[in-house]
């Protein structure tokens, strides 16, 4: 059955962000070209909303769409002065959010994490929002651990994304979670965006450039991608880059936002996922080809990444006969 996504547009919505969910989910199609998601946009009372850019937008639905949705997306909107002052949500919005069924997936884009937090959806979970407002978020909701250094946080039912294009990354992540990498990559190609930026990748926060930027780790990353089937240590990477291990690790993190070991493990997981989806290689063969060396390590890292062991992942996402 088609998965229904309801996008809730509130006053102060950012027009670019408001269109992200429909743009990504509408490009997710099955092998016959049929759309896998139905995206509807709604507002409180079905009224036109005032955007952050000085114009209004009319929508076709009211908040009753939240009751029948499989996924609800709260589009990015500027937090109201009342919300930032700790006065909570307007009654009409609180009532609409309370009508969302307990098994519906809920997503916030950027600063709409404030709305989810005020409604209680983030109690007991981690979250992210735009890095510029993370301190304000922490002050307002000290019981919620906010991470300013990631693109999105996936808690299972409740997910939050950082600013701007991180909403694209999160929507593609959901398509990948629902239907596998091939469908998500196809949607990304049709949207002309990068198919994968890991949720743990650092936000693009204004900061001084790292010292000595003449050399880059990019050629070494490309070399590692071509040699994933081989054992690769940080010493191997730094030797290829002609840097000391310490300098390489520092520069790598400054450029990529994670350690070389974290990056390499994620690339191996991605390679294993592609092979599980598109080939009939055995788990042992895939573990070797992806550079894990043993099926045990493959199972460990795949489960940590997607919550499924290799056989179950293949059963769910395989595209081969």
């Amino acid at each position: 059955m088609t998965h229904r996504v309801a996008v809730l547009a509130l006053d102060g919505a950012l027009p670019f962000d408001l269109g992200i969910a429909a743009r990504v989910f509408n490009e997710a199609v099955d092998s016959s070209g049929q759309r896998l998601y139905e995206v509807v946009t709604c507002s409180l009372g079905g009224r036109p909303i005032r955007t952050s850019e000085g114009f209004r937008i009319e929508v076709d639905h009211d908040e009753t769409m939240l009751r029948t949705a499989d996924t609800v997306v709260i589009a990015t909107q500027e937090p109201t002065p009342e919300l930032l002052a700790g006065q909570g949500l307007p009654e009409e919005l609180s009532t609409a959010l309370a009508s969302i069924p307990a098994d519906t997936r809920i997503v916030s884009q950027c600063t709409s994490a404030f709305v989810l937090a005020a409604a209680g959806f983030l109690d007991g979970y981690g979250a992210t929002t735009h890095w510029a407002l993370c301190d304000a978020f922490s002050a307002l909701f000290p019981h919620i651990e906010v991470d300013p250094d990631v693109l999105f946080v996936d808690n299972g039912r409740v997910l939050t994304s950082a600013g701007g294009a991180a909403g694209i990354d999160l929507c593609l992540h959901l398509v990948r979670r629902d239907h596998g990498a091939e469908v998500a990559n196809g949607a990304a190609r049709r949207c002309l965006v990068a198919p994968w930026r890991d949720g743990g990748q650092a936000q693009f926060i204004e900061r001084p450039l790292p010292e000595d930027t003449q050399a880059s780790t990019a050629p070494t990353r490309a070399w590692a991608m071509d040699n994933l089937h081989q054992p690769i240590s940080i010493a191997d990477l730094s030797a290829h880059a002609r840097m000391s291990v310490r300098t390489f690790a520092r520069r790598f993190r400054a450029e990529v936002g994670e350690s070389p070991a974290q990056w390499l493990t994620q690339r191996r997981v991605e390679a294993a996922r592609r092979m599980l989806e598109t080939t009939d290689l055995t788990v042992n063969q895939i573990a070797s080809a992806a550079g894990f060396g043993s099926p045990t390590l493959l199972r460990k890292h795949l489960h940590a990444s997607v919550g499924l062991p290799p056989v179950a992942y293949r059963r769910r996402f395989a595209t081969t006969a």
Side-chain angles (χ1 to χ4, degrees):
M1 294 181 62
T2 303
H3 183 112
R4 171 172 283 185
V5 178
V7 180
L8 178 60
L10 301 171
D11 278 339
L14 276 64
F16 172 81
D17 297 42
L18 182 57
I20 285 175
R23 185 71 182 90
V24 174
F25 288 120
N26 282 336
E27 295 295 349
V29 298
D30 63 17
S31 58
S32 65
Q34 294 297 310
R35 286 182 174 177
L36 296 167
Y37 298 88
E38 173 197 8
V39 184
V40 296
T41 304
C42 61
S43 68
L44 299 178
R47 298 186 295 271
I49 61 127
R50 173 187 52 79
T51 73
S52 63
E53 305 302 330
F55 59 88
R56 293 179 179 271
I57 292 178
E58 290 189 2
V59 301
D60 293 333
H61 305 281
D62 64 16
E63 70 274 17
T64 58
M65 301 304 295
L66 304 180
R67 304 172 194 169
T68 60
D70 300 295
T71 295
V72 169
V73 177
I74 312 297
T76 306
Q77 50 88 229
E78 296 179 334
T80 64
E82 293 78 14
L83 181 53
L84 291 174
Q87 298 177 22
L89 301 174
E91 182 177 353
E92 185 180 22
L93 177 55
S94 293
T95 301
L97 295 176
S99 72
I100 299 174
D103 58 349
T104 299
R105 188 164 60 190
I106 305 174
V107 176
S108 71
Q109 293 176 290
C110 195
T111 49
S112 289
F114 282 80
V115 174
L116 290 193
F121 288 112
L122 290 173
D123 291 352
Y125 292 123
T128 191
T129 186
H130 194 285
W131 62 268
L133 286 177
C134 280
D135 288 343
F137 186 95
S138 293
L140 199 57
F141 308 107
H143 59 292
I144 300 173
E145 183 177 354
V146 62
D147 189 343
D149 294 324
V150 296
L151 296 175
F152 57 82
V153 173
D154 182 348
N155 294 297
R157 182 200 175 205
V158 183
L159 303 93
T160 55
S161 69
I168 299 175
D169 296 297
L170 180 50
C171 289
L172 286 171
H173 167 71
L174 289 174
V175 174
R176 186 176 294 104
R177 201 175 92 174
D178 292 343
H179 300 287
E182 184 170 346
V183 173
N185 290 347
R189 284 194 298 272
R190 286 183 285 275
C191 291
L192 297 179
V193 297
W196 177 256
R197 290 196 302 165
D198 193 289
Q201 179 174 324
Q203 291 188 40
F204 295 102
I205 302 172
E206 293 182 14
R207 62 183 65 180
L209 290 173
E211 296 179 3
D212 187 13
T213 59
Q214 294 180 352
S216 169
T217 64
T220 296
R221 280 179 270 140
W223 170 81
M225 291 294 293
D226 289 336
N227 292 276
L228 284 178
H229 60 288
Q230 301 285 352
I232 301 175
S233 67
I234 187 172
D236 297 326
L237 294 170
S238 58
H240 183 274
R242 298 185 179 182
M243 303 178 193
S244 70
V245 170
R246 183 175 180 179
T247 298
F248 178 80
R250 173 174 55 81
R251 186 164 293 150
F252 192 99
R253 183 175 286 277
E255 292 180 9
V256 179
E258 57 188 348
S259 73
Q262 291 170 325
W263 178 87
L264 189 60
T265 296
Q266 190 58 48
R267 302 294 81 75
R268 294 191 192 283
V269 168
E270 291 171 11
R273 290 173 67 176
R274 285 193 297 271
M275 286 184 276
L276 286 167
E277 292 177 17
T278 61
T279 76
D280 57 1
L281 294 174
T282 67
V283 173
N284 283 4
Q285 290 171 322
I286 291 173
S288 177
F292 285 113
S294 74
T296 301
L297 277 179
L298 170 57
R299 291 187 186 96
K300 172 185 174 182
H301 290 295
L302 184 68
H303 194 279
S305 179
V306 300
L308 292 171
V311 173
Y313 184 87
R314 169 172 272 165
R315 187 181 303 119
R316 179 171 179 182
F317 294 119
T319 58
T320 55

